[in-house]
Amino acid sequence: MTSNHTDCHYCLQSLRGRKYALREENAYCVTCYDSLFANSCEECKQPIECDSKDLAYKGRHWHEGCFKCAKCSRSLVEKPFAAKDELLLCTGCYSDEYSSKCFHCQKTIMPGSRKMEFKGSSWHESCFVCQYCRQPLGTKPLITKDNENYCVPCFEKRFAHHCYSCKKVITSGGVTYHDQPWHKECFVCAGCKTQLSGQRFISKDEYPYCVDCFSKLYAKKCAACKKPITALGGAKFVSFEERQWHGECFNCVKCSVSLVGQGFLTQQDDVLCHECGSA
């Protein structure tokens, strides 16, 4: 450029009719300006003269013609690019060399696009969606089943068990009774409402009962000891003429010998062995 500045600030030669450059309000002839202030090009190592376009990236400088992809040499001027190990690469070369592939579509995740990471795999943001409703998962809670991702509402709708008692979703654990799922806290005795998970219980008319409640409500009483006969654990009992005995209680009323599997006689409400009954 030309102006009314009279002398170069460095060499003091007249600037009348000559091109010059300004720096901090001081005028310099082109030669002095280039020697004092011109940046060195990263590619060709030559100074970037004031008449040339200086392209800068992270404190480094290039001539316009030197600002190229380090692999394919295509110009990067006004084009998207990426840096790797201080090398500039066009997006195509960078993708070929370094970009990860989307787990879902297997296409390259281009530099600058948003990438989702999940269980060691990368996804396009548009591919990281619920398998059922197809809505983006982003950073929402999700559940994986058979390598497919689901938002929590869709997973519960399609796969989760619902408690037979309260009808709510069973998210973990649970109890199966009569082929129906139950929350542990919902699986209770039909009589006293005590939780039965992990406890011994007896089924009656499709309802579970703790041993105590079943004994009080339904169990037959032993004709000898008058205690309930629950038959838990495969315990043996004897039935005769609408009366029942624990196996260990079915004894001769006189000599106390066991009558289980033996012949016996009756005398009113008593049972006797043959020997005592014949005496």
Side-chain angles (χ1 to χ4, degrees), residues 65-76:
C66 295
F67 195 61
K68 301 178 295 184
C69 173
K71 185 175 181 183
C72 69
S73 298
R74 290 192 180 97
S75 174
L76 298 178

Side-chain angles (χ1 to χ4, degrees), residues 43 57 60 62 68-71 76 81-90 94 98:
E43 178 65 21
Y57 175 71
R60 296 187 294 161
W62 289 262
K68 301 178 295 184
C69 173
K71 185 175 181 183
L76 298 178
F81 64 90
K84 180 69 175 178
D85 299 329
E86 297 190 354
L87 296 177
L88 302 185
L89 300 167
C90 65
Y94 183 89
Y98 304 109

Side-chain angles (χ1 to χ4, degrees), residues 52-70:
S52 301
K53 193 170 184 178
D54 186 335
L55 300 179
Y57 175 71
K58 289 189 175 180
R60 296 187 294 161
H61 300 265
W62 289 262
H63 289 106
E64 185 175 13
C66 295
F67 195 61
K68 301 178 295 184
C69 173

